[in-house]
Amino acid sequence: MAIIHSVIFSLKHGKGSPEEKQFLEDGRTKLSSIPAVKDFRVFRQVSPKNDYDFGFSMTFESEADYEAYNVHPIHADFVANRWKKEVERFLEIDYNEI
């Protein structure tokens, strides 16, 4: 069964800054290059109902694909060298269709 993986987050960088733009583009380029990732998307939060700024969303065809993504070297490197340093806070949501 397919899994939709979403992370909703805010960055430490100033809004509209070159660093913010670079983080979002690097996330798109690097994470979408992982073979198990399908339908990778980058979103900007527009609702006043929460104060997160962005979202990454992707789909995996199976639990095995999701697990492969989590341990993939590109993902591990992005988390260690970008995410942990540049993301101020986040909420992770993993779900599948009923």
Side-chain angles (χ1 to χ4, degrees):
M1 180 174 287
I3 296 171
I4 299 169
H5 171 66
S6 299
V7 287
I8 314 307
F9 59 95
S10 293
L11 295 171
K12 295 176 181 177
H13 307 302
K15 296 199 187 311
S17 69
E19 294 84 3
E20 175 190 86
K21 291 176 185 171
Q22 190 65 57
F23 179 90
L24 297 172
E25 185 53 37
D26 289 348
R28 178 192 319 270
T29 302
K30 292 177 182 189
L31 299 176
S32 69
S33 75
I34 298 170
V37 173
K38 308 291 182 216
D39 196 27
F40 187 92
R41 296 180 184 208
V42 178
F43 298 101
R44 181 178 305 279
Q45 168 62 267
V46 296
S47 171
K49 294 179 183 177
N50 75 66
D51 57 357
Y52 290 100
D53 296 316
F54 301 103
F56 287 165
S57 178
M58 62 204 82
T59 303
F60 300 96
E61 292 179 359
S62 66
E63 182 72 30
D65 283 352
Y66 180 52
E67 290 173 17
Y69 163 79
N70 278 320
V71 298
H72 194 283
I74 292 173
H75 177 252
D77 179 70
F78 188 79
V79 169
N81 294 305
R82 301 296 301 276
W83 190 268
K84 288 183 177 181
K85 295 175 183 178
E86 299 178 60
V87 172
E88 185 172 74
R89 59 197 184 85
F90 71 97
L91 172 65
E92 185 171 323
I93 303 169
D94 297 313
Y95 50 104
N96 54 28
E97 192 170 346
I98 297 174

